[in-house]
Amino acid sequence: MEGGGGTLSELYQSSKKTLLKTRDALERLERLEFSSASSSTSAGVDSPELSFAVKRDIAQIQSLCAEMDRLWRSIGAKSQRDLWKRKVEQVAEESDSLKESLDKYFLRNQKRTQEARERTELLGRANGESSHVLRIFDEEAQAMQSARNSSRMLDESYATGVAILAQYAGQRERLKSAQRKALDILNTVGVSNFVLRLIERRHRVDRWIKYVGMFFTTVILIAFWRWTR
């Protein structure tokens, strides 16, 4: 039996060769995937050319299966028809298995790519949040430093105020001492003036006594003179 692409036997041989090549390419893709996963690569390593070739070969096998399915149905002998039916179905099953494996590979690779993108976005957000947290810490540190500076200025102002008050207290004590000395001097001056006044009064009394004595002496002398005449 012949079809547009050759005899059923030729189509079958071509499909088997394509199956072997596709299976080998798919195994290489899976080995590449395993090596990238074991090396802790952040994203899955994909080979677009190889995966596209596998997908193309599977489509070719499916096309061959459709052609072979049409051909084996036209075989007259039932035994030959059943034989080719099983062979074509086997090729179709292997093709479906390869397609399923390739689809799983694409899903895994897409999942790894998505996870890598999410990790990158998460790290970007984490870095942004870290920068925000560091900025908050820096602002808090600046506020604490400003508070420490204010506290130091208050302490210095308090110490200056204490020193000024101590100086004023010392000046007050000195003023009190000077005031006491001045009062002592004034008291001394007051006593001296009192003594001087007493002495002056005694001198005046002594002068009056002298004058009175001189008067009485003169009177006595005059009286005695007159009496002697």
Side-chain angles (χ1 to χ4, degrees):
M1 300 298 297
E2 294 185 359
T7 65
L8 180 58
S9 178
E10 291 173 345
L11 294 176
Y12 178 75
Q13 293 299 325
S14 177
S15 66
K16 294 295 287 186
K17 290 179 181 179
T18 307
L19 277 173
L20 290 174
K21 183 179 72 171
T22 305
R23 188 179 295 111
D24 180 67
L26 185 58
E27 289 177 354
R28 279 188 285 135
L29 271 179
E30 291 175 345
R31 286 196 300 270
L32 181 63
E33 178 188 13
F34 177 77
S35 64
S36 65
S38 61
S39 63
S40 301
T41 307
S42 60
V45 177
D46 186 22
S47 176
E49 297 83 2
L50 185 57
S51 59
F52 177 78
V54 172
K55 186 176 182 179
R56 182 192 58 204
D57 291 342
I58 291 175
Q60 182 181 357
I61 294 170
Q62 289 175 337
S63 177
L64 290 174
C65 286
E67 182 68 15
M68 287 188 296
D69 186 73
R70 184 184 64 81
L71 291 176
W72 70 260
R73 293 179 185 277
S74 61
I75 297 176
K78 185 177 182 302
S79 59
Q80 288 293 316
R81 190 168 65 247
D82 291 342
L83 175 64
W84 280 108
K85 178 184 177 183
R86 288 194 297 273
K87 287 183 177 181
V88 172
E89 288 177 347
Q90 184 180 6
V91 172
E93 290 174 357
E94 292 182 8
S95 174
D96 291 341
S97 176
L98 291 175
K99 184 177 182 302
E100 183 180 359
S101 297
L102 181 63
D103 290 341
K104 289 181 179 178
Y105 166 81
F106 282 141
L107 287 174
R108 290 193 303 271
N109 190 68
Q110 182 180 1
K111 182 179 179 181
R112 284 191 299 271
T113 303
Q114 181 64 28
E115 290 175 349
R117 185 182 299 111
E118 290 176 355
R119 282 196 299 270
T120 301
E121 293 176 355
L122 182 61
L123 288 174
R125 288 195 299 270
N127 291 333
E129 291 175 357
S130 298
S131 299
H132 179 64
V133 171
L134 289 176
R135 185 168 61 253
I136 292 175
F137 284 159
D138 185 60
E139 291 175 355
E140 290 182 353
Q142 291 179 359
M144 292 177 66
Q145 183 63 35
S146 178
R148 284 194 294 268
N149 292 336
S150 299
S151 178
R152 186 174 63 253
M153 291 176 65
L154 287 174
D155 291 340
E156 292 175 354
S157 299
Y158 176 76
T160 302
V162 169
I164 291 173
L165 290 176
Q167 184 178 2
Y168 284 163
Q171 291 178 357
R172 183 182 177 187
E173 291 298 326
R174 288 193 294 272
L175 288 173
K176 284 183 177 181
S177 178
Q179 186 179 10
R180 285 194 298 268
K181 290 180 179 179
L183 290 174
D184 291 340
I185 293 172
L186 290 175
N187 291 331
T188 303
V189 170
V191 172
S192 299
N193 289 334
F194 178 72
V195 172
L196 289 174
R197 284 196 298 271
L198 288 178
I199 294 171
E200 220 177 281
R201 187 179 303 168
R202 178 63 180 270
H203 286 170
R204 284 198 301 269
V205 172
D206 290 343
R207 281 198 301 272
W208 279 107
I209 292 171
K210 179 180 178 182
Y211 293 152
V212 171
M214 290 175 61
F215 174 75
F216 282 110
T217 302
T218 302
V219 172
I220 292 170
L221 288 174
I222 292 173
F224 179 76
W225 178 74
R226 285 182 179 178
W227 180 74
T228 58
R229 290 182 65 183

